[in-house]
PDB file of all heavy atoms in Angstrom:
ATOM      1  N   VAL A 945    -109.664 226.737  17.456  1.00  0.00           N
ATOM      2  CA  VAL A 945    -108.943 225.503  17.777  1.00  0.00           C
ATOM      3  C   VAL A 945    -107.619 225.556  17.029  1.00  0.00           C
ATOM      4  O   VAL A 945    -107.589 225.753  15.810  1.00  0.00           O
ATOM      5  CB  VAL A 945    -109.738 224.251  17.359  1.00  0.00           C
ATOM      6  CG1 VAL A 945    -108.919 222.991  17.643  1.00  0.00           C
ATOM      7  CG2 VAL A 945    -111.073 224.182  18.081  1.00  0.00           C
ATOM      8  N   GLN A 946    -106.538 225.378  17.762  1.00  0.00           N
ATOM      9  CA  GLN A 946    -105.210 225.469  17.152  1.00  0.00           C
ATOM     10  C   GLN A 946    -104.658 224.071  16.886  1.00  0.00           C
ATOM     11  O   GLN A 946    -104.638 223.218  17.772  1.00  0.00           O
ATOM     12  CB  GLN A 946    -104.250 226.252  18.052  1.00  0.00           C
ATOM     13  CG  GLN A 946    -102.900 226.514  17.397  1.00  0.00           C
ATOM     14  CD  GLN A 946    -101.948 227.247  18.307  1.00  0.00           C
ATOM     15  OE1 GLN A 946    -101.431 226.670  19.266  1.00  0.00           O
ATOM     16  NE2 GLN A 946    -101.734 228.520  18.036  1.00  0.00           N
ATOM     17  N   LEU A 947    -104.208 223.834  15.664  1.00  0.00           N
ATOM     18  CA  LEU A 947    -103.592 222.575  15.256  1.00  0.00           C
ATOM     19  C   LEU A 947    -102.135 222.836  14.892  1.00  0.00           C
ATOM     20  O   LEU A 947    -101.818 223.840  14.255  1.00  0.00           O
ATOM     21  CB  LEU A 947    -104.305 221.976  14.042  1.00  0.00           C
ATOM     22  CG  LEU A 947    -105.601 221.185  14.253  1.00  0.00           C
ATOM     23  CD1 LEU A 947    -106.696 222.078  14.801  1.00  0.00           C
ATOM     24  CD2 LEU A 947    -106.058 220.566  12.938  1.00  0.00           C
ATOM     25  N   MET A 948    -101.275 221.939  15.312  1.00  0.00           N
ATOM     26  CA  MET A 948     -99.881 221.971  14.879  1.00  0.00           C
ATOM     27  C   MET A 948     -99.727 220.904  13.797  1.00  0.00           C
ATOM     28  O   MET A 948     -99.887 219.713  14.051  1.00  0.00           O
ATOM     29  CB  MET A 948     -98.936 221.698  16.043  1.00  0.00           C
ATOM     30  CG  MET A 948     -99.054 222.713  17.174  1.00  0.00           C
ATOM     31  SD  MET A 948     -98.711 224.413  16.676  1.00  0.00           S
ATOM     32  CE  MET A 948     -96.970 224.297  16.291  1.00  0.00           C
ATOM     33  N   VAL A 949     -99.456 221.357  12.578  1.00  0.00           N
ATOM     34  CA  VAL A 949     -99.461 220.453  11.429  1.00  0.00           C
ATOM     35  C   VAL A 949     -98.083 220.383  10.800  1.00  0.00           C
ATOM     36  O   VAL A 949     -97.223 221.246  11.010  1.00  0.00           O
ATOM     37  CB  VAL A 949    -100.505 220.907  10.378  1.00  0.00           C
ATOM     38  CG1 VAL A 949    -101.886 220.932  10.979  1.00  0.00           C
ATOM     39  CG2 VAL A 949    -100.147 222.265   9.811  1.00  0.00           C
ATOM     40  N   TYR A 950     -97.897 219.325  10.000  1.00  0.00           N
ATOM     41  CA  TYR A 950     -96.616 219.078   9.351  1.00  0.00           C
ATOM     42  C   TYR A 950     -96.889 218.581   7.939  1.00  0.00           C
ATOM     43  O   TYR A 950     -97.746 217.733   7.718  1.00  0.00           O
ATOM     44  CB  TYR A 950     -95.823 218.028  10.140  1.00  0.00           C
ATOM     45  CG  TYR A 950     -94.619 217.466   9.412  1.00  0.00           C
ATOM     46  CD1 TYR A 950     -93.491 218.241   9.191  1.00  0.00           C
ATOM     47  CD2 TYR A 950     -94.622 216.161   8.939  1.00  0.00           C
ATOM     48  CE1 TYR A 950     -92.386 217.727   8.515  1.00  0.00           C
ATOM     49  CE2 TYR A 950     -93.532 215.636   8.271  1.00  0.00           C
ATOM     50  CZ  TYR A 950     -92.410 216.431   8.059  1.00  0.00           C
ATOM     51  OH  TYR A 950     -91.335 215.924   7.387  1.00  0.00           O
ATOM     52  N   ASN A 951     -96.178 219.105   6.970  1.00  0.00           N
ATOM     53  CA  ASN A 951     -96.306 218.708   5.569  1.00  0.00           C
ATOM     54  C   ASN A 951     -95.203 217.717   5.219  1.00  0.00           C
ATOM     55  O   ASN A 951     -94.034 218.090   5.132  1.00  0.00           O
ATOM     56  CB  ASN A 951     -96.221 219.941   4.666  1.00  0.00           C
ATOM     57  CG  ASN A 951     -96.211 219.562   3.195  1.00  0.00           C
ATOM     58  OD1 ASN A 951     -96.638 218.472   2.809  1.00  0.00           O
ATOM     59  ND2 ASN A 951     -95.733 220.472   2.361  1.00  0.00           N
ATOM     60  N   PRO A 952     -95.533 216.431   4.986  1.00  0.00           N
ATOM     61  CA  PRO A 952     -94.494 215.443   4.678  1.00  0.00           C
ATOM     62  C   PRO A 952     -94.124 215.387   3.191  1.00  0.00           C
ATOM     63  O   PRO A 952     -93.246 214.613   2.817  1.00  0.00           O
ATOM     64  CB  PRO A 952     -95.146 214.130   5.110  1.00  0.00           C
ATOM     65  CG  PRO A 952     -96.594 214.346   4.846  1.00  0.00           C
ATOM     66  CD  PRO A 952     -96.868 215.806   5.090  1.00  0.00           C
ATOM     67  N   MET A 953     -94.807 216.157   2.364  1.00  0.00           N
ATOM     68  CA  MET A 953     -94.575 216.069   0.929  1.00  0.00           C
ATOM     69  C   MET A 953     -93.352 216.902   0.524  1.00  0.00           C
ATOM     70  O   MET A 953     -93.023 217.906   1.171  1.00  0.00           O
ATOM     71  CB  MET A 953     -95.808 216.547   0.155  1.00  0.00           C
ATOM     72  CG  MET A 953     -97.083 215.820   0.538  1.00  0.00           C
ATOM     73  SD  MET A 953     -96.975 214.037   0.276  1.00  0.00           S
ATOM     74  CE  MET A 953     -97.173 213.970  -1.496  1.00  0.00           C
ATOM     75  N   PRO A 954     -92.681 216.514  -0.563  1.00  0.00           N
ATOM     76  CA  PRO A 954     -91.487 217.252  -1.000  1.00  0.00           C
ATOM     77  C   PRO A 954     -91.808 218.516  -1.784  1.00  0.00           C
ATOM     78  O   PRO A 954     -90.926 219.093  -2.411  1.00  0.00           O
ATOM     79  CB  PRO A 954     -90.774 216.217  -1.888  1.00  0.00           C
ATOM     80  CG  PRO A 954     -91.866 215.384  -2.448  1.00  0.00           C
ATOM     81  CD  PRO A 954     -92.917 215.301  -1.371  1.00  0.00           C
ATOM     82  N   TYR A 955     -93.041 218.946  -1.772  1.00  0.00           N
ATOM     83  CA  TYR A 955     -93.438 220.170  -2.460  1.00  0.00           C
ATOM     84  C   TYR A 955     -94.534 220.838  -1.640  1.00  0.00           C
ATOM     85  O   TYR A 955     -95.048 220.282  -0.659  1.00  0.00           O
ATOM     86  CB  TYR A 955     -93.936 219.859  -3.875  1.00  0.00           C
ATOM     87  CG  TYR A 955     -94.980 218.763  -3.928  1.00  0.00           C
ATOM     88  CD1 TYR A 955     -96.328 219.031  -3.707  1.00  0.00           C
ATOM     89  CD2 TYR A 955     -94.608 217.446  -4.181  1.00  0.00           C
ATOM     90  CE1 TYR A 955     -97.264 218.037  -3.735  1.00  0.00           C
ATOM     91  CE2 TYR A 955     -95.546 216.438  -4.222  1.00  0.00           C
ATOM     92  CZ  TYR A 955     -96.868 216.743  -4.004  1.00  0.00           C
ATOM     93  OH  TYR A 955     -97.801 215.742  -4.023  1.00  0.00           O
ATOM     94  N   GLU A 956     -94.873 222.045  -2.035  1.00  0.00           N
ATOM     95  CA  GLU A 956     -95.870 222.807  -1.290  1.00  0.00           C
ATOM     96  C   GLU A 956     -97.216 222.089  -1.326  1.00  0.00           C
ATOM     97  O   GLU A 956     -97.662 221.625  -2.375  1.00  0.00           O
ATOM     98  CB  GLU A 956     -96.004 224.202  -1.908  1.00  0.00           C
ATOM     99  CG  GLU A 956     -96.924 225.116  -1.122  1.00  0.00           C
ATOM    100  CD  GLU A 956     -97.029 226.500  -1.763  1.00  0.00           C
ATOM    101  OE1 GLU A 956     -97.059 226.559  -3.006  1.00  0.00           O
ATOM    102  OE2 GLU A 956     -97.069 227.486  -1.039  1.00  0.00           O
ATOM    103  N   LEU A 957     -97.836 222.006  -0.168  1.00  0.00           N
ATOM    104  CA  LEU A 957     -99.112 221.299  -0.039  1.00  0.00           C
ATOM    105  C   LEU A 957    -100.229 222.315   0.131  1.00  0.00           C
ATOM    106  O   LEU A 957    -100.220 223.124   1.065  1.00  0.00           O
ATOM    107  CB  LEU A 957     -99.079 220.348   1.168  1.00  0.00           C
ATOM    108  CG  LEU A 957    -100.362 219.554   1.444  1.00  0.00           C
ATOM    109  CD1 LEU A 957    -100.661 218.598   0.302  1.00  0.00           C
ATOM    110  CD2 LEU A 957    -100.253 218.789   2.758  1.00  0.00           C
ATOM    111  N   ARG A 958    -101.200 222.257  -0.776  1.00  0.00           N
ATOM    112  CA  ARG A 958    -102.359 223.155  -0.702  1.00  0.00           C
ATOM    113  C   ARG A 958    -103.541 222.392  -0.090  1.00  0.00           C
ATOM    114  O   ARG A 958    -103.964 221.368  -0.629  1.00  0.00           O
ATOM    115  CB  ARG A 958    -102.731 223.682  -2.077  1.00  0.00           C
ATOM    116  CG  ARG A 958    -101.660 224.537  -2.709  1.00  0.00           C
ATOM    117  CD  ARG A 958    -102.159 225.169  -4.005  1.00  0.00           C
ATOM    118  NE  ARG A 958    -102.644 224.161  -4.930  1.00  0.00           N
ATOM    119  CZ  ARG A 958    -101.870 223.503  -5.790  1.00  0.00           C
ATOM    120  NH1 ARG A 958    -100.564 223.745  -5.810  1.00  0.00           N
ATOM    121  NH2 ARG A 958    -102.381 222.615  -6.622  1.00  0.00           N
ATOM    122  N   VAL A 959    -104.007 222.906   1.015  1.00  0.00           N
ATOM    123  CA  VAL A 959    -105.146 222.305   1.709  1.00  0.00           C
ATOM    124  C   VAL A 959    -106.310 223.264   1.587  1.00  0.00           C
ATOM    125  O   VAL A 959    -106.240 224.406   2.058  1.00  0.00           O
ATOM    126  CB  VAL A 959    -104.828 222.023   3.192  1.00  0.00           C
ATOM    127  CG1 VAL A 959    -106.002 221.313   3.851  1.00  0.00           C
ATOM    128  CG2 VAL A 959    -103.563 221.195   3.315  1.00  0.00           C
ATOM    129  N   GLU A 960    -107.359 222.820   0.957  1.00  0.00           N
ATOM    130  CA  GLU A 960    -108.535 223.661   0.749  1.00  0.00           C
ATOM    131  C   GLU A 960    -109.665 223.231   1.673  1.00  0.00           C
ATOM    132  O   GLU A 960    -109.792 222.073   2.027  1.00  0.00           O
ATOM    133  CB  GLU A 960    -108.990 223.576  -0.715  1.00  0.00           C
ATOM    134  CG  GLU A 960    -107.905 223.984  -1.710  1.00  0.00           C
ATOM    135  CD  GLU A 960    -108.344 223.742  -3.141  1.00  0.00           C
ATOM    136  OE1 GLU A 960    -109.467 223.232  -3.321  1.00  0.00           O
ATOM    137  OE2 GLU A 960    -107.566 224.062  -4.052  1.00  0.00           O
TER     138      GLU A 960
END
Side-chain angles (χ1 to χ4, degrees):
V945 177
Q946 186 182 73
L947 279 64
M948 300 300 293
V949 301
Y950 167 71
N951 174 21
M953 305 301 283
Y955 50 84
E956 185 180 38
L957 179 64
R958 296 187 305 274
V959 184
E960 302 174 358

